[in-house]
């Protein structure tokens, strides 16, 4: 597992514990090369995120409605009641969860001398009900984490493009991306 994925996993745990007072268990379930057939199961909340700093791009963070509403309920002192539908308050709480995880990740990245300086800003969030098909056509990598807190267990997924994944993990980019990067480099004279 790459240093970045371990760092992200740790930030998921520490942030959710800080918001709820309960330490969740989180583990990487999948690191998937996506194609246009990759889908996620709904109902789900999807946060659209602007990425800036060492790379300027976008990403998406998807949290199952059951997990997001359970964490939101615990943030308000509840026992972690799950819901399959999400209202505006649930989406606001989920946006706060994602913003906090990514803010913590940004701080952790800056503290590592061998990691890029990257900032994240959640621009909007949307709810996809059980009848929706959720795809991420513009992204090529999906990091899926199983998160277990109290009686809730579901997924938080991070959809990244090749450039962001390469910057964060140092793994070789697919040929198509390498060619794009090489073409943008100025010629040496």
């Amino acid at each position: 597992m790459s240093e970045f994925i371990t760092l992200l996993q740790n930030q998921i745990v520490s942030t959710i514990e800080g918001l709820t007072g309960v330490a969740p268990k989180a583990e990487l379930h999948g690191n998937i090369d996506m194609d246009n057939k990759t889908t996620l199961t709904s109902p789900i909340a999807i946060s659209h995120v602007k990425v800036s700093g060492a790379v300027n791009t976008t990403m998406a963070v998807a949290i199952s409605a059951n997990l997001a509403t359970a964490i939101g309920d615990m943030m308000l002192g509840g026992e972690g009641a799950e819901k399959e539908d999400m209202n505006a308050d649930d989406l606001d709480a989920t946006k706060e969860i994602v913003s906090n995880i990514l803010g913590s990740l940004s701080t952790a990245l800056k503290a590592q001398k061998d990691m890029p300086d990257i900032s994240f800003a959640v621009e909007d969030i949307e709810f996809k009900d059980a009848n929706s098909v959720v795809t991420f056509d513009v992204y090529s990598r999906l990091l899926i984490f199983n998160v277990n807190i109290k009686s809730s267990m579901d997924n938080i997924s991070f959809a990244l493009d090749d450039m962001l994944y390469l910057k964060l993990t140092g793994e070789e980019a697919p040929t198509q991306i390498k060619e794009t990067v090489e073409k943008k480099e100025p010629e040496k004279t």
Side-chain angles (χ1 to χ4, degrees):
M1 189 163 24
S2 78
E3 180 182 0
F4 164 70
I5 292 174
T6 301
L7 198 59
L8 177 55
Q9 181 174 316
N10 291 340
Q11 299 318 304
I12 292 168
V13 171
S14 63
T15 301
I16 293 173
E17 181 177 15
L19 293 170
T20 65
V22 179
K25 292 180 182 169
E27 65 180 25
L28 183 67
H29 175 72
N31 182 344
I32 301 167
D33 281 322
M34 293 195 302
D35 58 27
N36 59 2
K37 296 175 185 166
T38 304
T39 61
L40 292 176
T41 305
S42 54
I44 200 164
I46 302 172
S47 299
H48 302 278
V49 180
K50 180 180 178 183
V51 181
S52 59
V55 63
N56 294 306
T57 189
T58 61
M59 65 181 280
V61 180
I63 304 180
S64 73
N66 286 334
L67 182 62
T69 56
I71 294 170
D73 186 57
M74 285 184 260
M75 288 168 57
L76 298 173
E79 292 298 313
E82 296 179 354
K83 299 186 322 188
E84 288 198 4
D85 287 322
M86 299 179 80
N87 60 32
D89 289 339
D90 296 322
L91 289 172
D92 285 344
T94 303
K95 187 174 180 181
E96 182 178 343
I97 294 163
V98 172
S99 293
N100 278 278
I101 290 170
L102 295 176
S104 177
L105 177 62
S106 181
T107 301
L109 288 169
K110 289 175 186 170
Q112 306 296 314
K113 66 180 179 179
D114 57 342
M115 297 297 285
D117 184 355
I118 294 178
S119 297
F120 306 93
V122 178
E123 294 189 318
D124 66 356
I125 188 166
E126 62 181 320
F127 173 67
K128 299 288 190 175
D129 65 23
N131 298 317
S132 300
V133 175
V134 180
T135 61
F136 297 107
D137 296 345
V138 298
Y139 302 107
S140 57
R141 181 69 65 158
L142 188 65
L143 304 174
I144 303 170
F145 291 87
N146 288 338
V147 178
N148 185 350
I149 185 165
K150 286 196 172 184
S151 63
S152 295
M153 182 176 166
D154 221 317
N155 297 322
I156 298 178
S157 302
F158 298 81
L160 314 172
D161 65 16
D162 285 326
M163 296 298 261
L164 180 58
Y165 187 76
L166 173 64
K167 194 60 125 171
L168 291 168
T169 65
E171 290 184 13
E172 187 65 28
T175 305
Q176 179 182 5
I177 297 300
K178 278 180 58 180
E179 290 171 1
T180 303
V181 172
E182 289 170 359
K183 287 179 185 176
K184 289 185 177 182
E185 291 180 6
E187 291 184 22
K188 295 178 183 175
T189 57

